Amino acid sequence: MHPEQALEQYIQATNSHEFDNVAKMLHPHAVYWFGDQECKTIDEIRHYFEYAWRMIHEEKYAASHVQWLVNTADAATCIYYYHYEGYANGKFVQGSGRATNVFLKDEQGNWKLVHEHLSGLPAHRDTSSIVTTFPL
């Protein structure tokens, strides 16, 4: 598998809304930096994901404009724009921001996500050119 496929599988796992699917993609020492919280353990990451899925029902997550900054035999780093949509308090919501993902190969040769950093878009950023198609 290539890291591009690992990113695709990670997004599919996220959209399953089953954290056990996400956990299969994570390195044991994964660290997440969200806009409002830092998660340093798998249990903290699980709690954050499950809370987000409770807050935004039927959430769909997608990536666009993916750029691979590093892509070696054992490590890969990409940046992209993330997009989400779903329902919060019964109302349709959507948003986007920036993401950085770092993947490492484990001892079995599988790509694992060791770091994700999500942040909002700068206030001055024109988002009209950022278009995505959500998976069905």
Side-chain angles (χ1 to χ4, degrees), residues 22-33:
V22 174
K24 293 174 190 174
M25 301 297 303
L26 301 182
H27 186 279
H29 302 293
V31 174
Y32 276 59
W33 288 356

Side-chain angles (χ1 to χ4, degrees), residues 90-108:
K91 296 185 181 197
F92 181 76
V93 295
Q94 61 184 358
S96 49
R98 298 179 294 184
T100 302
N101 285 17
V102 179
F103 292 89
L104 296 176
K105 268 196 182 171
D106 65 11
E107 296 79 23
Q108 292 76 39

Side-chain angles (χ1 to χ4, degrees), residues 77-133:
T77 301
C78 66
I79 57 175
Y80 58 90
Y81 293 108
Y82 71 84
H83 312 275
Y84 68 89
E85 64 181 31
Y87 296 89
N89 298 318
K91 296 185 181 197
F92 181 76
V93 295
Q94 61 184 358
S96 49
R98 298 179 294 184
T100 302
N101 285 17
V102 179
F103 292 89
L104 296 176
K105 268 196 182 171
D106 65 11
E107 296 79 23
Q108 292 76 39
N110 299 310
W111 289 103
K112 300 294 182 178
L113 184 63
V114 70
H115 179 64
E116 180 167 88
H117 183 178
L118 302 179
S119 61
L121 294 172
H124 65 277
R125 173 78 171 143
D126 175 13
T127 60
S128 62
S129 66
I130 304 174
V131 178
T132 188
T133 303

Side-chain angles (χ1 to χ4, degrees), residues 5 23 28 30 38 40-41 45 48 52 60 62 68 72-73 75 85 99-100 103 112 116-118:
Q5 294 166 305
E38 186 174 304
K40 296 182 180 179
T41 68
I45 297 166
Y48 196 95
K60 294 178 187 170
W68 291 92
T72 67
E85 64 181 31
T100 302
F103 292 89
K112 300 294 182 178
E116 180 167 88
H117 183 178
L118 302 179

Side-chain angles (χ1 to χ4, degrees), residues 4-92:
E4 296 88 352
Q5 294 166 305
L7 176 61
E8 185 178 315
Q9 287 180 358
Y10 171 66
I11 292 170
Q12 290 172 356
T14 299
N15 285 329
S16 76
H17 296 206
E18 293 290 337
F19 188 79
D20 289 342
N21 294 333
V22 174
K24 293 174 190 174
M25 301 297 303
L26 301 182
H27 186 279
H29 302 293
V31 174
Y32 276 59
W33 288 356
F34 297 107
D36 61 346
Q37 187 172 337
E38 186 174 304
C39 299
K40 296 182 180 179
T41 68
I42 300 296
D43 284 341
E44 289 175 353
I45 297 166
R46 174 187 297 273
H47 177 75
Y48 196 95
F49 269 74
E50 291 176 348
Y51 175 78
W53 290 328
R54 283 193 307 274
M55 295 296 101
I56 302 178
H57 298 274
E58 300 177 37
E59 181 190 24
K60 294 178 187 170
Y61 183 84
S64 69
H65 299 80
V66 178
Q67 297 176 40
W68 291 92
L69 304 178
V70 175
N71 193 341
T72 67
D74 297 318
T77 301
C78 66
I79 57 175
Y80 58 90
Y81 293 108
Y82 71 84
H83 312 275
Y84 68 89
E85 64 181 31
Y87 296 89
N89 298 318
K91 296 185 181 197
F92 181 76

